[in-house]
Tab-separated table of all heavy atoms in Angstrom:
chain	number	residue	atom	x	y	z
B	490	ALA	N	77.343	229.534	-80.816
B	490	ALA	CA	78.228	230.407	-81.584
B	490	ALA	C	78.347	231.805	-80.988
B	490	ALA	O	79.387	232.437	-81.088
B	490	ALA	CB	77.743	230.497	-83.028
B	491	ASP	N	77.285	232.278	-80.366
B	491	ASP	CA	77.223	233.700	-80.015
B	491	ASP	C	77.148	233.885	-78.493
B	491	ASP	O	76.149	233.546	-77.856
B	491	ASP	CB	75.982	234.297	-80.695
B	491	ASP	CG	75.840	235.782	-80.384
B	491	ASP	OD1	76.700	236.331	-79.670
B	491	ASP	OD2	74.832	236.378	-80.855
B	492	PRO	N	78.205	234.463	-77.905
B	492	PRO	CA	78.201	234.653	-76.453
B	492	PRO	C	77.015	235.487	-75.966
B	492	PRO	O	76.516	235.271	-74.860
B	492	PRO	CB	79.509	235.394	-76.183
B	492	PRO	CG	80.373	235.170	-77.362
B	492	PRO	CD	79.446	234.941	-78.529
B	493	ALA	N	76.550	236.433	-76.799
B	493	ALA	CA	75.422	237.274	-76.380
B	493	ALA	C	74.152	236.427	-76.278
B	493	ALA	O	73.345	236.584	-75.351
B	493	ALA	CB	75.220	238.423	-77.354
B	494	GLU	N	73.989	235.510	-77.219
B	494	GLU	CA	72.830	234.607	-77.197
B	494	GLU	C	72.902	233.707	-75.977
B	494	GLU	O	71.905	233.460	-75.276
B	494	GLU	CB	72.819	233.778	-78.484
B	494	GLU	CG	71.561	233.003	-78.736
B	494	GLU	CD	70.415	233.863	-79.240
B	494	GLU	OE1	70.642	235.066	-79.504
B	494	GLU	OE2	69.299	233.335	-79.343
B	495	ARG	N	74.094	233.222	-75.719
B	495	ARG	CA	74.279	232.346	-74.553
B	495	ARG	C	73.950	233.094	-73.265
B	495	ARG	O	73.250	232.593	-72.387
B	495	ARG	CB	75.713	231.807	-74.540
B	495	ARG	CG	75.938	230.780	-73.458
B	495	ARG	CD	77.330	230.215	-73.484
B	495	ARG	NE	77.608	229.492	-74.731
B	495	ARG	CZ	78.583	228.603	-74.884
B	495	ARG	NH1	79.387	228.341	-73.868
B	495	ARG	NH2	78.772	227.999	-76.032
B	496	ALA	N	74.451	234.300	-73.177
B	496	ALA	CA	74.187	235.106	-71.965
B	496	ALA	C	72.685	235.352	-71.800
B	496	ALA	O	72.158	235.282	-70.684
B	496	ALA	CB	74.948	236.433	-72.031
B	497	ALA	N	71.995	235.574	-72.916
B	497	ALA	CA	70.545	235.832	-72.831
B	497	ALA	C	69.804	234.607	-72.276
B	497	ALA	O	68.896	234.739	-71.459
B	497	ALA	CB	69.999	236.222	-74.205
B	498	VAL	N	70.211	233.428	-72.717
B	498	VAL	CA	69.561	232.197	-72.240
B	498	VAL	C	69.828	232.013	-70.739
B	498	VAL	O	68.912	231.759	-69.953
B	498	VAL	CB	70.084	230.976	-73.030
B	498	VAL	CG1	69.676	229.682	-72.352
B	498	VAL	CG2	69.545	231.022	-74.463
B	499	LEU	N	71.089	232.187	-70.346
B	499	LEU	CA	71.426	231.981	-68.933
B	499	LEU	C	70.745	233.042	-68.053
B	499	LEU	O	70.291	232.744	-66.951
B	499	LEU	CB	72.946	232.009	-68.741
B	499	LEU	CG	73.723	230.973	-69.577
B	499	LEU	CD1	75.205	231.011	-69.243
B	499	LEU	CD2	73.178	229.557	-69.388
B	500	ARG	N	70.643	234.270	-68.594
B	500	ARG	CA	69.980	235.322	-67.822
B	500	ARG	C	68.492	235.011	-67.655
B	500	ARG	O	67.895	235.309	-66.616
B	500	ARG	CB	70.179	236.685	-68.500
B	500	ARG	CG	70.075	237.867	-67.532
B	500	ARG	CD	70.311	239.225	-68.203
B	500	ARG	NE	71.389	239.205	-69.185
B	500	ARG	CZ	72.682	239.301	-68.874
B	500	ARG	NH1	73.059	239.420	-67.623
B	500	ARG	NH2	73.590	239.271	-69.838
B	501	ALA	N	67.889	234.404	-68.670
B	501	ALA	CA	66.475	234.001	-68.536
B	501	ALA	C	66.321	232.962	-67.421
B	501	ALA	O	65.372	233.031	-66.652
B	501	ALA	CB	65.959	233.454	-69.864
B	502	VAL	N	67.242	232.013	-67.349
B	502	VAL	CA	67.157	230.995	-66.286
B	502	VAL	C	67.310	231.675	-64.924
B	502	VAL	O	66.604	231.377	-63.978
B	502	VAL	CB	68.227	229.898	-66.457
B	502	VAL	CG1	68.168	228.897	-65.322
B	502	VAL	CG2	68.066	229.189	-67.812
B	503	GLN	N	68.232	232.637	-64.834
B	503	GLN	CA	68.455	233.355	-63.588
B	503	GLN	C	67.222	234.173	-63.190
B	503	GLN	O	66.847	234.223	-62.038
B	503	GLN	CB	69.644	234.297	-63.822
B	503	GLN	CG	70.385	234.733	-62.594
B	503	GLN	CD	71.541	235.646	-62.977
B	503	GLN	OE1	71.357	236.683	-63.612
B	503	GLN	NE2	72.741	235.246	-62.617
B	504	ARG	N	66.595	234.803	-64.168
B	504	ARG	CA	65.551	235.766	-63.881
B	504	ARG	C	64.156	235.125	-63.846
B	504	ARG	O	63.386	235.349	-62.917
B	504	ARG	CB	65.578	236.825	-64.986
B	504	ARG	CG	65.027	238.149	-64.573
B	504	ARG	CD	65.296	239.199	-65.635
B	504	ARG	NE	66.637	239.775	-65.532
B	504	ARG	CZ	67.083	240.744	-66.349
B	504	ARG	NH1	66.305	241.196	-67.334
B	504	ARG	NH2	68.293	241.240	-66.209
Side-chain angles (χ1 to χ4, degrees):
Chain B
D491 180 1
E494 191 76 6
R495 186 177 297 199
V498 167
L499 303 184
R500 206 179 319 279
V502 178
Q503 203 179 58
R504 206 171 277 181

